[in-house]
Amino acid sequence: MLQSTMLLAPPSGFHNDCIYIHDSLFICLSTISFEISFQVQKKNYRQEKKRAAKELFSALKDPSVVIMSNWLKIRGTLKSWTKLWCALKPGVLLIYKTPSSEHWVGTILLNACKLIERPSKKDGFCFKLYHPLDKSIWAMKGPKGETVGSITQPLPSNYLIFRAASESDGRCWMDALELALSCSSLYKLTAKTCKDGDLSSSSESSHILQLLQSTALNDQELLHGGASLWVVKTQSVAREIKGVVFLQPGEASQVETVSEENKGLIWTLLKQLRPGMDLSKVVLPTFILEPRSFLDKLSDYYYHANFLSQAVAEENPYCRMKQILRWYLSGFYKKPKGLKKPYNPILGETFRCCWLHPQTDSCTFYLAEQVSHHPPISAFFVSNRKDGFCISGSILAKSKFYGNSLSAILDGKAKLLLLGRDEEYVITMPYAHCKGILYGTMTLELGGKVTIECEKTKYFAELEFKLKPFLGSSCNVNQISGKIRMGEDLLATIDGHWDGEVLLHEKKTGHQEMLWKPTAEVRKQRLRRQVVQLDQQGPFESERLWQHVTSAITTKDQNKATQEKFVLEEAQRQEARERGDRPWRPHFFTQNPDTNEWQYKYADTKPWDPECCLIQFEKDGIIQTKERCRRQHNGFTYSQNWTSQQKVSCSCSTHGNTTKKL
């Protein structure tokens, strides 16, 4: 059969670029172009895949980075507990006898494990790692090739039960394990990629990759299906990490998404953090800052200071404790939109404000000062002599990073003094727990046990702020429980949600009452806070000190905000260099050498005497009282003298000041 050697016209319907040669063979230029384009896309795809894998590994998945490490108690097969050092890394949990990592006990492979919270009657917090099909969870070799681990009590093969020292520690371990479990699935999909890309040359990295290599996808799976799965999963995890959603539990409307401009900033920040790091020394990007100082934020507890005025008026000590509890709970429901952090105060920074009490014609004054920078300590004093109370205290703000979560602890005590009754109530604070930083939705909760105790009356109140359980629903968010005792007698129990309804149950009578609920009516009754006008503030008063940073954040000019923030921080460093070894001396507070407590220098805790006390005012940070002259017989009301006194004292009043409804 003769083969045609003629160049024929292409059949109808084909492009002119098509050539019909020998045995009806068509060579399409468009097809050639498509093949070239496909090869380019394939090359770009491989490069992008390696780039994404390298970025994730270098930031989060590098085995040289420990997600979390600490002592945990582990229950053996004989149901006794052994204290062992646990180091959580991406994909594995390494267990040692000591923190030196010399005496290896075993390695748990997390890629097949499930995690669940375990109820416990004892102190601490329990959780369980287990294989859903009762298979072994242990690796055959240690990180240095060990085949036999250090001798301990026998441990189960298909599960392990852990006990942390406290609920906060246990929650941090649960969050970190949740992150590590997610990392293990990425390990399986990227074991081949990591080997080709030589992302980590450490022996420990090779060991972990070898442990997971058996379940990694082969070349054909990566090419035909696994690769697309890897890309989709990598991009989804990257979106969850970079496109952080800020959510306030109990306030579904308070949702904030980080803009594209800021995603790279938070990504860079997270790569610099290490588990256990103290965040007080970390310079945070300005877009996660609440545009006000921490000294200002501490004043949020006094918008309902009228509850303290009512507590002073109560004759029954049990009723006084209930009113103090009501005031305490009123300080938590005021929250910023999204998850925001106030400015770290500059050493020597001060903030002052006041709240007018229309019902008692009095005023509550607030003054705070940053008395130490390392460690960061904020001292404060609150006074309303006419209504009969004052509060003093100091807060050491500590924060720790745990991989996928962090805790902010307000270490310190406040002392509430009821002047006319000589009763002192010692009050502690809960901690804030933020999880979902790297993986999942970022949420903020309050946790821990707090106490309010009066030694004179023997009344004692305990509140527990509960974190959401690992498998809990939305109704478990922001839960609180507690009790009121007088000596050993239990008088009442408390339960509810600290940002919602809190009920009190009388034990003897069975009576139930509403202790606290931030209704619209309650919010309307908030006292009006007043601050000194900006042009009358000193150079180290918070609003004036941070005014340029605040203005830039308000206008969403993050570059300018960062520059202005750097100027303040650099000025503080320069001042510290010039000061040298000389100790810093605060302006308004002094430290008691016996108790190490910070005390306001000008505190006046004498009960209010209406016969001689005329008006309480504040001038230049000094809270003082103007007394009636002996020759003076005419009466004055607080509001009449407030304006006239302002002309002399520049105190916080309507005259010459800015009124803010917050």
Side-chain angles (χ1 to χ4, degrees):
M1 182 176 179
L2 295 177
Q3 293 184 345
S4 172
T5 59
M6 296 178 62
L7 184 62
L8 303 178
S12 60
F14 282 77
H15 195 273
N16 292 333
D17 289 336
C18 297
I19 305 175
Y20 182 60
I21 307 176
H22 301 293
D23 297 324
S24 301
L25 176 63
F26 291 94
I27 300 177
C28 300
L29 296 179
S30 59
T31 303
I32 296 174
S33 175
F34 174 78
E35 288 291 340
I36 296 174
S37 176
F38 176 76
Q39 292 297 329
V40 173
Q41 292 177 7
K42 192 174 181 181
K43 181 180 179 180
N44 292 339
Y45 157 74
R46 287 173 178 169
Q47 292 177 348
E48 176 64 19
K49 185 176 69 171
K50 289 184 178 181
R51 185 203 62 77
K54 187 173 182 178
E55 182 178 337
L56 283 173
F57 260 73
S58 63
L60 303 173
K61 313 301 186 291
D62 186 346
S64 64
V65 176
V66 178
I67 296 177
M68 189 171 181
S69 60
N70 209 334
W71 291 103
L72 286 174
K73 289 184 177 180
I74 299 177
R75 198 174 81 163
T77 54
L78 302 179
K79 296 188 177 181
S80 58
W81 296 87
T82 301
K83 192 175 182 180
L84 296 171
W85 182 261
C86 298
L88 180 62
K89 300 193 175 187
V92 295
L93 178 63
L94 301 172
I95 302 175
Y96 301 94
K97 273 192 170 182
T98 63
S100 63
S101 303
E102 292 296 327
H103 303 286
W104 172 76
V105 174
T107 301
I108 297 178
L109 301 177
L110 299 176
N111 58 307
C113 286
K114 298 294 182 182
L115 175 66
I116 191 171
E117 180 182 336
R118 191 175 188 274
S120 176
K121 295 181 180 179
K122 298 181 180 179
D123 292 336
F125 182 91
C126 287
F127 56 92
K128 180 179 180 180
L129 276 173
Y130 67 98
H131 195 293
L133 300 178
D134 292 335
K135 302 295 182 181
S136 175
I137 61 175
W138 298 95
M140 299 300 294
K141 293 184 179 182
K144 298 179 181 179
E146 303 97 331
T147 56
V148 179
S150 298
I151 299 176
T152 63
Q153 64 162 319
L155 298 175
S157 63
N158 59 340
Y159 71 90
L160 216 53
I161 299 174
F162 302 84
R163 180 187 297 278
S166 64
E167 182 184 3
S168 61
D169 290 346
R171 295 292 181 191
C172 288
W173 272 104
M174 293 280 283
D175 292 339
L177 281 165
E178 187 179 0
L179 173 64
L181 289 169
S182 302
C183 293
S184 66
S185 63
L186 290 177
Y187 255 121
K188 291 193 296 183
L189 292 171
T190 57
K192 175 66 176 175
T193 305
C194 296
K195 185 176 180 181
D196 294 341
D198 192 25
L199 297 181
S200 180
S201 58
S202 68
S203 59
E204 191 171 356
S205 173
S206 301
H207 163 67
I208 294 178
L209 290 176
Q210 289 171 5
L211 291 177
L212 299 171
Q213 185 73 32
S214 59
T215 56
L217 300 178
N218 58 40
D219 293 343
Q220 293 299 317
E221 289 172 322
L222 283 172
L223 182 61
H224 291 101
S228 60
L229 172 63
W230 152 244
V231 171
V232 171
K233 189 165 184 66
T234 299
Q235 291 177 348
S236 65
V237 173
R239 276 196 301 269
E240 285 198 73
I241 295 172
K242 293 188 176 183
V244 181
V245 175
F246 294 106
L247 176 65
Q248 283 278 29
E251 293 260 355
S253 61
Q254 295 190 352
V255 178
E256 181 176 337
T257 303
V258 178
S259 66
E260 293 293 332
E261 175 186 1
N262 298 324
K263 288 178 183 178
L265 292 175
I266 196 168
W267 180 247
T268 302
L269 171 68
L270 293 175
K271 289 193 291 185
Q272 299 172 359
L273 302 181
R274 291 294 178 265
M277 180 180 289
D278 185 353
L279 297 185
S280 64
K281 299 181 181 181
V282 177
V283 179
L284 297 175
T286 55
F287 72 88
I288 67 172
L289 295 178
E290 182 182 1
R292 60 172 176 158
S293 172
F294 179 69
L295 301 181
D296 184 348
K297 189 174 182 64
L298 285 176
S299 70
D300 287 352
Y301 290 94
Y302 306 101
Y303 282 92
H304 293 280
N306 53 304
F307 290 151
L308 293 177
S309 303
Q310 296 170 17
V312 174
E314 293 284 356
E315 293 298 329
N316 188 304
Y318 174 62
C319 294
R320 288 199 292 275
M321 177 60 82
K322 288 197 298 183
Q323 284 289 1
I324 292 172
L325 275 171
R326 188 172 285 115
W327 160 75
Y328 184 82
L329 292 171
S330 72
F332 295 104
Y333 75 92
K334 183 180 183 293
K335 299 176 288 187
K337 178 179 174 59
L339 186 60
K340 299 291 186 181
K341 179 188 179 301
Y343 308 141
N344 291 330
I346 300 296
L347 184 63
E349 177 183 338
T350 61
F351 180 79
R352 52 181 172 147
C353 62
C354 71
W355 294 264
L356 300 179
H357 294 239
Q359 293 183 340
T360 58
D361 197 22
S362 66
C363 187
T364 294
F365 294 92
Y366 170 88
L367 178 76
E369 181 180 5
Q370 190 71 7
V371 295
S372 173
H373 185 60
H374 290 304
I377 299 177
S378 306
F380 57 90
F381 182 74
V382 180
S383 178
N384 187 331
R385 284 192 64 207
K386 185 175 183 181
D387 283 1
F389 66 86
C390 70
I391 302 173
S392 62
S394 61
I395 295 294
L396 169 59
K398 300 187 294 185
S399 53
K400 288 296 180 71
F401 178 68
Y402 296 107
N404 195 40
S405 62
L406 63 85
S407 291
I409 302 170
L410 300 181
D411 188 9
K413 296 179 179 179
K415 293 185 176 181
L416 166 64
L417 180 62
L418 304 187
L419 304 181
R421 302 185 182 277
D422 195 27
E423 294 177 0
E424 185 178 75
Y425 296 77
V426 181
I427 304 169
T428 59
M429 299 291 295
Y431 65 87
H433 182 70
C434 177
K435 62 182 180 180
I437 298 175
L438 303 179
Y439 184 80
T441 302
M442 187 177 287
T443 58
L444 179 66
E445 300 178 80
L446 296 180
K449 292 183 179 181
V450 301
T451 57
I452 302 176
E453 184 175 8
C454 179
E455 184 178 359
K456 182 178 180 179
T457 63
K458 306 301 180 185
Y459 274 82
F460 175 88
E462 181 182 78
L463 295 175
E464 181 180 4
F465 291 80
K466 299 181 179 181
L467 299 178
K468 179 184 176 182
F470 187 66
L471 299 177
S473 62
S474 58
C475 64
N476 300 123
V477 175
N478 294 345
Q479 281 190 319
I480 190 173
S481 65
K483 53 195 173 184
I484 301 177
R485 294 181 179 273
M486 202 280 286
E488 297 297 324
D489 297 332
L490 179 62
L491 303 180
T493 59
I494 300 166
D495 64 83
H497 296 79
W498 55 262
D499 62 344
E501 183 178 89
V502 180
L503 299 176
L504 183 140
H505 308 267
E506 304 276 0
K507 294 300 291 184
K508 290 185 178 179
T509 64
H511 174 70
Q512 176 177 294
E513 67 174 283
M514 183 82 67
L515 182 64
W516 169 249
K517 186 176 182 179
T519 62
E521 184 63 27
V522 170
R523 294 170 187 255
K524 289 180 180 179
Q525 295 173 0
R526 289 160 56 92
L527 301 178
R528 296 175 60 188
R529 193 184 78 165
Q530 301 185 355
V531 297
V532 180
Q533 282 187 349
L534 199 64
D535 57 359
Q536 297 181 20
Q537 294 183 14
F540 272 82
E541 293 198 55
S542 296
E543 288 195 343
R544 181 176 173 183
L545 183 68
W546 294 94
Q547 60 178 320
H548 300 303
V549 180
T550 300
S551 176
I553 292 177
T554 304
T555 58
K556 298 183 179 181
D557 188 347
Q558 302 302 337
N559 291 331
K560 184 178 179 181
T562 302
Q563 294 172 1
E564 295 292 348
K565 182 170 176 284
F566 175 78
V567 170
L568 291 178
E569 293 167 344
E570 186 58 33
Q572 181 175 226
R573 298 186 191 101
Q574 180 62 31
E575 192 277 333
R577 287 191 291 266
E578 294 175 355
R579 189 172 67 250
D581 296 332
R582 289 181 289 110
W584 170 260
R585 297 187 181 279
H587 300 288
F588 303 109
F589 292 85
T590 182
Q591 191 172 23
N592 188 314
D594 298 325
T595 63
N596 288 328
E597 295 178 349
W598 290 93
Q599 299 172 339
Y600 181 57
K601 294 180 181 179
Y602 309 100
D604 186 354
T605 58
K606 298 188 300 293
W608 183 265
D609 184 357
E611 294 297 325
C612 65
C613 295
L614 187 63
I615 186 172
Q616 186 181 20
F617 64 98
E618 177 271 333
K619 179 181 179 181
D620 298 330
I622 301 176
I623 302 173
Q624 49 196 301
T625 302
K626 180 177 178 60
E627 296 185 352
R628 189 189 306 272
C629 297
R630 293 182 180 180
R631 294 175 298 175
Q632 192 171 355
H633 299 288
N634 56 317
F636 294 87
T637 64
Y638 193 89
S639 57
Q640 288 174 338
N641 286 272
W642 182 252
T643 302
S644 60
Q645 186 61 45
Q646 166 65 28
K647 297 178 181 179
V648 179
S649 65
C650 294
S651 60
C652 300
S653 72
T654 306
H655 175 80
N657 291 273
T658 303
T659 301
K660 294 186 177 181
K661 288 187 177 182
L662 300 176

